[in-house]
Amino acid sequence: MNGENRFKALVSRLMIIMLVALIFPRTGDVALSAEEKTDAAASHSADFDLPDVPEGRYTYADYANAHAGAAQPEREIVIDADTYTSADGMEMKKFDNFEGVQGVSVWTDEQGRIEWEVDVPETGMYNMSMLYYPIEGKSSDIQRSILIDGQLPFAEAAYLQFYRIWTNLSDEIKRDNRGNDLRPQQTEKPMWQEQIFKDVEGYYEEPFKFYFTAGKHTITFISQREPVVIRHIRIYKENPLLPYEELLKRYEAEGLTVTAGHMIEVQGEDAVSKSSPTLYPISDRSSPNVEPYSPSLIRVNTIGGFNWRVPGQWIAWEVEAPETGLYSIGLKVKQDFTRGVDSVRKLTINGEVPFKEAEELRFNYRSGFNMELLGGEDPYLFYLNEGKNVVKLEVTLGRLSPLIREVETSLLNLNAMYRKVLMITGTAPDEFRDYQLEKKIPDMIGVFTEESARLTAVAKQLESMRGERSDREAVLLTMSDQLLDMVRRPETIPRRLTAFKINAGGLGTWILQAREMPLEIDSIVVASPGKKLSKGSAGWFSKMRHEVTRFAYSFFIDYNEIGNVADEGAKRSITVWIGSGRDQAQTMKAMIDDTFTPESGISVNLKLVQMQYLLPATLAGQGPDVAMQIGNDIPVNYALRGAAADLSQFADFNEVAERFRASAMVPYHFDGGYYALPETQTFNMLFYRKDILKELGLEIPQTWQDVYTLLAVLSKNHLEFGLPLALQPQYPGENIPPNSVYAALLFQHGGQFYRNDDKQSDLDSETAVRIFKEWTELYTDYKLPREFDFANRIRTGEMPIGLSDYTTYNQLTVFAPEIRGLWGFVPVPGVVKEDGTIDRSVPSGGSSVLMLEKAQDKEAAWEFMKWWTSADTQTKFGREMEGLMGAAARYPTANIEALGQLPWPIADYKNLSAQFEEVKGIPEVPGGYFTGRHLINAFYKTVVGRTEPREALTDYVQYIQEEMTFKRIEFGLPTE
């Protein structure tokens, strides 16, 4: 009987899907066709799309294997930049003898393409490099894609990256008025560089080689991010490095002498240049043996650490050698970040790697700081010229790179197989049914067997590299064992899908962690061989004294204070509370002390505080003058209680408000006043997996009718469409905003949340009820999931499309490198209007900066708020945050001009801008906190409680209406 009921339910569900597909046909030419979509672009994207990579995901390893027997000719071909044959979609400029380099250089824009023609005299594999000058842009690394004869040769060729050069703004470390060192600001130090084309992820030890047949070819650069000046492109053969023993014989033959009696020590924080602004000098208080040292005050004394972990990042120091000759090099380092895997660095001296072994210098896991002599007990000898020499260390994966590639390949194959299984069993398989997966997916057993063997081999290689087993192998062996067991017992696969998915997610985490190679440097010592170096580590007594002293000082130092503290005699000062992390607060305080205070004469006491304490502190008269990074619901609620200042009282308020879109100001407006300025503004975008949609023959939905058609296909294949449901409060009592999907549907159909000058809820209107029914039917009829981790599900592919906050872009960029290029985001689906255009309205969220009514100097507080929300400040802060914490911290500023100055790839920024044009704000009203709360209550009563949608919503709207009326009466506001 149960089986019969399940069959009837299945038939009913299929009939509903078919009826919806018939009732809501696809809307003609609104959506893109699958054929028009390429692997690297979708609708609303850049003007110049990349052609498909041969055979789908065709990696450099595949490309190199395909041309393994090709010769490597000893030839060099130089293509002058000004000899380009065509340039489309970009602004071009030519410069004679630019920045000291003879000849004509070409300025290329951050978008468009440029093409050269080259005559290659001999067939073979060639390296390529580019001589470039990183002119001012958006402070991000330069990114280009390269085409050979109009084709992308392999997937990684779409992501060539060229670094900028950074240095400390000042050679001297500044201090605040409490005696603490301030983190040095970073500034660009542009100079000509020749960089060989290589993998940006570091997955390949050797630089790329490109196959050319004899004859004429075209080389095309497609701009993805940032402008750059190019002098030439070089096609040549990179000569292999000599092993150390052979180089030593050459030194002896050339009569190079070993120096004697010299020791030069360079502090790590005195680096002259680095590849990223994240590589700023830092403070380490974990050891008394660092230089300089203080148990109580902050001292900038090391460099690197966790920020210096990504392949390709480098730091350079200048070493003044007293005489020409051979020296040994020691590094006082701390590598207690990654247990089980060494941190690897490549050493160059004066731009060249001296010998083969210097490409892979390994630093083992050890606690605290230690002196590491390069070469160990029999240290390497390095040739230095008399005078200044540049010593550079670059993060590299070394022998780990092919192993990471193997695990990534395994993960992609297993995720693809997981989706195939999912298409048959669904996400909740019947544990009593034999799906006969081994027959329906003929290659499943073979794939599982092959991937099990691959992961086992990688684990064994890791163990042999370290000489012992660590937790790094455990993840791989767990997945391998599960695969072997599923091969032996395929009938158990359906009920083990959850464990399989978790273990596959563990492989993704393993890849991320394996790529990270942190290393912290206190000093570099260049010494004559035989010179005795200090151990670098502190003794037991020194450590104990250090910890006791630090503990004692903690009773007297307020660690919530950031940077300079206003003196009692300061003419004008304000107190500002910020609720974010210490890194953000320190960055902000540095900007305040560098620009705002000197220009305005207003001192700022910046305090790091948890924002749930703002209300009790304000009621107790201990609150700040200005509160930052607070939720959209707080300003109006504070204003009702006379705690927030009306900003419209200032003469230049309207001018300041023009910095933001009108939608950003909506939540802060009430009863003719404005009670905050927006800091950030976020909204939903449509994220999708390009490869999976292409595989299923699906189009990117442009309208909600397209979504219904797409849902039928996804449901047939047991895949999911993601719609965000409810935000979780970060602390007790935090307001829950109205659901973003319901709000988008409501706005797109001309609805609103409140009527009668925001005195009453409009959720009982016919439009609101109809949209509520349509929204809930997505979950009752189409069984959309209510709770899920969107980033993980789009990563595995089980949710190949869905709506999510646009900051998810940052998360996927950093935490899902294995699907790079396989996903994108576009504006959300909308509703076709009478004029044929599509209304893609979405609601926005964000944070704001608020002035308290009790602020003693409101003019000073207003000056600070204007400074903070200005385009220059927001741009600088956004770039500083991304430089400090990487792309995952890209700042979602509400300032229109500043958003355009942040380092978005041009195609993605176009999509973002298109959606930004249709963002709408949701008003905050007295009692409005019931709106989001009871909207979700009505949703669950309908979807889970099976109550009729109209009845559920109208019941809860009564509660909303009553609360709004009660609050208006409480605050003496008219109710009619």
Side-chain angles (χ1 to χ4, degrees):
M1 193 65 181
N2 289 337
E4 183 179 343
N5 288 339
R6 281 197 299 270
F7 177 74
K8 288 181 178 179
L10 178 62
V11 171
S12 300
R13 184 180 174 192
L14 290 173
M15 290 179 67
I16 291 171
I17 293 171
M18 293 172 65
L19 283 170
V20 172
L22 289 171
I23 294 170
F24 301 106
R26 181 167 51 86
T27 55
D29 59 352
V30 175
L32 290 175
S33 68
E35 290 76 15
E36 291 172 329
K37 185 159 62 71
T38 67
D39 207 34
S43 68
H44 310 290
S45 66
D47 298 329
F48 297 98
D49 299 336
L50 295 176
D52 285 331
V53 179
E55 301 177 19
R57 187 174 172 82
Y58 187 74
T59 67
Y60 177 69
D62 300 323
Y63 180 80
N65 289 335
H67 301 290
Q72 298 181 43
E74 294 277 356
R75 292 182 178 273
E76 179 177 277
I77 306 162
V78 177
I79 307 170
D80 290 325
D82 64 321
T83 61
Y84 63 89
T85 54
S86 66
D88 302 319
M90 68 163 59
E91 183 182 352
M92 305 291 296
K93 299 176 185 177
K94 292 185 179 182
F95 301 99
D96 290 325
N97 305 325
F98 186 75
E99 294 293 335
V101 169
Q102 296 297 312
V104 181
S105 302
V106 176
W107 184 93
T108 61
D109 205 354
E110 64 177 356
Q111 60 182 323
R113 66 167 69 199
I114 182 171
E115 187 170 280
W116 295 269
E117 190 175 274
V118 58
D119 193 354
V120 178
E122 186 176 351
T123 298
M125 295 286 279
Y126 294 85
N127 297 110
M128 294 180 67
S129 68
M130 182 173 79
L131 181 62
Y132 71 98
Y133 188 92
I135 58 171
E136 184 179 355
K138 298 176 182 177
S139 301
S140 181
D141 292 326
I142 300 146
Q143 194 175 93
R144 296 292 184 268
S145 302
I146 184 172
L147 309 182
I148 307 295
D149 296 326
Q151 295 296 317
L152 198 64
F154 45 86
E156 293 84 354
Y159 306 99
L160 297 179
Q161 190 158 294
F162 303 93
Y163 292 103
R164 296 180 179 276
I165 300 177
W166 298 84
T167 190
N168 295 346
L169 183 62
S170 173
D171 293 335
E172 295 182 4
I173 301 296
K174 297 180 180 180
R175 292 181 177 175
D176 62 26
N177 57 11
R178 295 183 297 156
N180 293 312
D181 286 356
L182 297 173
R183 176 172 61 84
Q185 284 189 283
Q186 301 301 293
T187 186
E188 278 196 66
K189 183 184 179 181
M191 63 178 65
W192 284 102
Q193 302 175 75
E194 179 138 7
Q195 182 173 310
I196 194 167
F197 295 175
K198 59 183 180 180
D199 180 35
V200 64
E201 300 290 345
Y203 286 176
Y204 297 91
E205 296 178 78
E206 303 293 332
F208 291 145
K209 294 185 180 72
F210 297 84
Y211 180 75
F212 290 94
T213 57
K216 292 187 180 298
H217 297 272
T218 59
I219 296 174
T220 308
F221 275 5
I222 298 180
S223 300
Q224 301 291 350
R225 188 173 61 194
E226 298 282 40
V228 67
V229 172
I230 303 173
R231 176 61 187 88
H232 68 236
I233 297 168
R234 195 158 61 102
I235 302 174
Y236 69 108
K237 178 187 176 183
E238 183 82 357
N239 293 319
L241 292 167
L242 289 175
Y244 176 69
E245 291 300 328
E246 291 188 24
L247 183 66
L248 201 58
K249 292 177 183 178
R250 178 181 292 182
Y251 286 164
E252 293 173 356
E254 294 175 355
L256 294 177
T257 58
V258 174
T259 61
H262 300 302
M263 181 180 290
I264 309 103
E265 184 173 10
V266 178
Q267 292 299 314
E269 63 271 19
D270 292 336
V272 293
S273 59
K274 64 271 292 192
S275 62
S276 168
T278 62
L279 303 178
Y280 49 82
I282 59 177
S283 172
D284 190 300
R285 299 174 62 201
S286 64
S287 169
N289 213 32
V290 292
E291 298 177 19
Y293 164 75
S294 172
S296 59
L297 299 173
I298 295 173
R299 290 288 175 259
V300 171
N301 47 23
T302 66
I303 198 168
F306 191 71
N307 286 354
W308 192 28
R309 68 188 186 278
V310 179
Q313 289 183 326
W314 54 262
I315 303 176
W317 297 263
E318 280 187 354
V319 176
E320 188 82 29
E323 64 173 302
T324 298
L326 300 178
Y327 297 81
S328 59
I329 297 179
L331 303 175
K332 185 178 174 183
V333 301
K334 183 170 72 172
Q335 204 292 81
D336 58 1
F337 303 93
T338 56
R339 186 188 296 270
V341 176
D342 299 335
S343 284
V344 185
R345 294 295 183 269
K346 178 170 71 175
L347 173 75
T348 62
I349 297 177
N350 299 325
E352 295 183 359
V353 181
F355 46 84
K356 181 67 177 175
E357 289 82 352
E359 284 192 310
E360 191 173 345
L361 301 173
R362 313 185 70 81
F363 299 89
N364 302 330
Y365 178 90
R366 295 173 67 184
S367 62
F369 282 92
N370 297 276
M371 182 61 73
E372 301 280 354
L373 197 57
L374 302 184
E377 295 181 1
D378 185 14
Y380 297 135
L381 297 178
F382 298 91
Y383 175 76
L384 297 180
N385 295 313
E386 182 181 352
K388 289 184 178 179
N389 295 267
V390 178
V391 176
K392 183 169 79 173
L393 290 172
E394 179 181 331
V395 183
T396 179
L397 297 176
R399 290 176 291 171
L400 202 60
S401 57
L403 303 185
I404 296 177
R405 292 204 310 269
E406 287 290 289
V407 176
E408 184 176 279
T409 300
S410 183
L411 176 60
L412 289 170
N413 292 339
L414 291 175
N415 278 342
M417 189 55 62
Y418 172 72
R419 292 196 300 273
K420 289 182 180 180
V421 173
L422 208 63
M423 290 178 182
I424 296 172
T425 66
T427 55
D430 185 342
E431 60 183 59
F432 300 109
R433 176 181 171 186
D434 184 1
Y435 289 89
Q436 298 184 330
L437 294 174
E438 67 274 22
K439 295 181 180 179
K440 295 178 181 177
I441 311 176
D443 61 336
M444 182 185 70
I445 299 299
V447 168
F448 284 174
T449 302
E450 181 180 348
E451 298 312 322
S452 175
R454 190 197 304 268
L455 294 174
T456 300
V458 171
K460 288 182 177 178
Q461 290 183 65
L462 280 172
E463 185 177 349
S464 65
M465 285 168 57
R466 288 284 298 151
E468 59 183 5
R469 179 168 292 187
S470 71
D471 58 347
R472 295 284 177 151
E473 293 88 64
V475 175
L476 307 179
L477 293 174
T478 299
M479 184 82 253
S480 176
D481 291 343
Q482 185 186 33
L483 291 173
L484 281 181
D485 196 44
M486 290 195 297
V487 167
R488 288 192 294 266
R489 300 185 296 155
E491 71 279 1
T492 67
I493 293 175
R495 65 173 178 265
R496 301 168 69 181
L497 276 182
T498 300
F500 176 82
K501 175 186 171 183
I502 291 171
N503 288 334
L507 291 183
T509 303
W510 185 94
I511 292 171
L512 286 175
Q513 292 177 345
R515 291 181 66 246
E516 295 177 346
M517 299 276 179
L519 186 69
E520 188 173 348
I521 294 185
D522 179 38
S523 62
I524 298 175
V525 178
V526 176
S528 299
K531 267 283 189 179
K532 188 175 181 180
L533 307 183
S534 65
K535 291 183 179 180
S537 57
W540 177 85
F541 182 76
S542 296
K543 290 180 180 178
M544 184 183 70
R545 184 177 60 185
H546 166 69
E547 294 298 336
V548 170
T549 307
R550 281 186 62 190
F551 177 73
Y553 274 114
S554 68
F555 289 96
F556 304 100
I557 298 175
D558 183 2
Y559 291 102
N560 288 326
E561 297 277 4
I562 305 293
N564 289 328
V565 176
D567 297 326
E568 292 184 3
K571 292 182 179 180
R572 302 182 71 185
S573 68
I574 58 173
T575 299
V576 177
W577 283 11
I578 181 173
S580 60
R582 183 165 290 272
D583 286 334
Q584 289 93 327
Q586 288 177 335
T587 298
M588 186 182 301
K589 182 57 175 173
M591 293 171 58
I592 291 169
D593 293 341
D594 286 341
T595 57
F596 176 70
T597 298
E599 292 173 4
S600 66
I602 301 169
S603 298
V604 178
N605 293 322
L606 185 67
K607 292 190 176 184
L608 192 58
V609 182
Q610 295 183 22
M611 278 302 155
Q612 59 263 41
Y613 300 121
L614 178 61
L615 179 59
T618 302
L619 293 174
Q622 301 297 318
D625 299 304
V626 175
M628 305 180 65
Q629 299 177 348
I630 62 175
N632 281 354
D633 60 306
I634 291 179
V636 166
N637 280 292
Y638 275 43
L640 290 168
R641 294 159 176 82
D646 181 4
L647 304 181
S648 62
Q649 64 181 302
F650 297 102
D652 54 351
F653 170 77
N654 291 331
E655 180 184 343
V656 173
E658 290 177 358
R659 299 170 176 176
F660 320 102
R661 299 186 188 276
S663 58
M665 297 297 297
V666 169
Y668 317 127
H669 177 254
F670 181 74
D671 198 24
Y674 286 89
Y675 296 93
L677 292 179
E679 289 185 88
T680 64
Q681 188 175 14
T682 58
F683 47 86
N684 287 337
M685 296 283 287
L686 180 68
F687 290 80
Y688 65 100
R689 280 287 295 270
K690 302 173 184 178
D691 54 337
I692 299 175
L693 262 61
K694 187 174 182 180
E695 178 185 328
L696 297 175
L698 292 174
E699 305 167 349
I700 301 171
Q702 304 297 310
T703 66
W704 287 100
Q705 285 86 348
D706 290 342
V707 170
Y708 296 131
T709 304
L710 178 141
L711 285 174
V713 179
L714 291 180
S715 178
K716 177 183 175 182
N717 291 280
H718 298 294
L719 298 176
E720 299 171 333
F721 189 99
L723 292 179
L725 189 54
L727 297 174
Q728 296 298 321
Q730 295 181 359
Y731 54 85
E734 184 184 20
N735 186 36
I736 299 176
N739 176 267
S740 59
V741 177
Y742 176 77
L745 289 166
L746 186 66
F747 289 150
Q748 290 172 9
H749 285 85
Q752 59 186 1
F753 278 93
Y754 306 104
R755 63 173 177 261
N756 190 18
D757 292 331
D758 295 339
K759 296 184 180 70
Q760 295 174 308
S761 174
D762 200 45
L763 294 186
D764 56 359
S765 67
E766 189 58 37
T767 299
V769 172
R770 177 168 53 85
I771 295 305
F772 181 78
K773 181 175 183 292
E774 181 179 337
W775 176 45
T776 54
E777 283 176 348
L778 289 167
Y779 297 87
T780 56
D781 295 352
Y782 288 94
K783 309 299 181 186
L784 293 190
R786 297 193 298 271
E787 295 181 4
F788 53 88
D789 185 330
F790 180 69
N792 272 334
R793 292 203 183 186
I794 197 172
R795 185 180 188 179
T796 62
E798 61 186 296
M799 186 175 281
I801 187 168
L803 271 64
S804 186
D805 189 293
Y806 84 77
T807 55
T808 302
Y809 177 98
N810 307 341
Q811 186 178 0
L812 289 174
T813 300
V814 175
F815 298 112
E818 74 276 8
I819 59 170
R820 180 186 62 181
L822 300 180
W823 63 272
F825 74 160
V826 294
V828 303
V831 174
V832 180
K833 296 188 290 188
E834 292 183 0
D835 61 1
T837 60
I838 300 177
D839 187 331
R840 302 179 189 269
S841 298
V842 290
S844 67
S847 62
S848 61
V849 54
L850 166 79
M851 183 192 303
L852 280 300
E853 179 63 33
K854 290 185 178 180
Q856 295 297 314
D857 189 342
K858 287 188 171 62
E859 288 294 337
W862 177 238
E863 288 299 319
F864 174 79
M865 294 174 71
K866 289 193 297 181
W867 169 82
W868 170 241
T869 58
S870 67
D872 289 344
T873 304
Q874 288 286 290
T875 299
K876 185 175 181 180
F877 181 75
R879 292 181 181 178
E880 286 276 337
M881 281 295 93
E882 191 160 348
L884 185 70
M885 305 170 70
R890 185 164 297 156
Y891 184 58
T893 178
N895 187 292
I896 302 171
E897 184 181 345
L899 184 69
Q901 295 301 315
L902 295 181
W904 287 92
I906 190 65
D908 297 327
Y909 178 68
K910 287 183 176 180
N911 289 330
L912 195 63
S913 296
Q915 184 63 76
F916 219 147
E917 293 292 335
E918 302 194 58
V919 172
K920 292 186 177 180
I922 299 176
E924 291 290 339
V925 300
Y929 49 82
F930 262 30
T931 300
R933 188 182 309 174
H934 284 312
L935 183 62
I936 286 297
N937 289 339
F939 171 88
Y940 280 114
K941 189 173 182 179
T942 302
V943 175
V944 180
R946 296 296 178 180
T947 303
E948 198 276 329
R950 180 181 294 273
E951 179 184 343
L953 183 60
T954 52
D955 282 350
Y956 277 108
V957 169
Q958 288 299 317
Y959 293 116
I960 300 173
Q961 300 283 27
E962 289 172 4
E963 185 68 13
M964 289 179 64
T965 301
F966 173 77
K967 284 299 177 184
R968 295 188 73 86
I969 292 173
E970 178 184 345
F971 294 115
L973 299 170
T975 58
E976 296 296 335

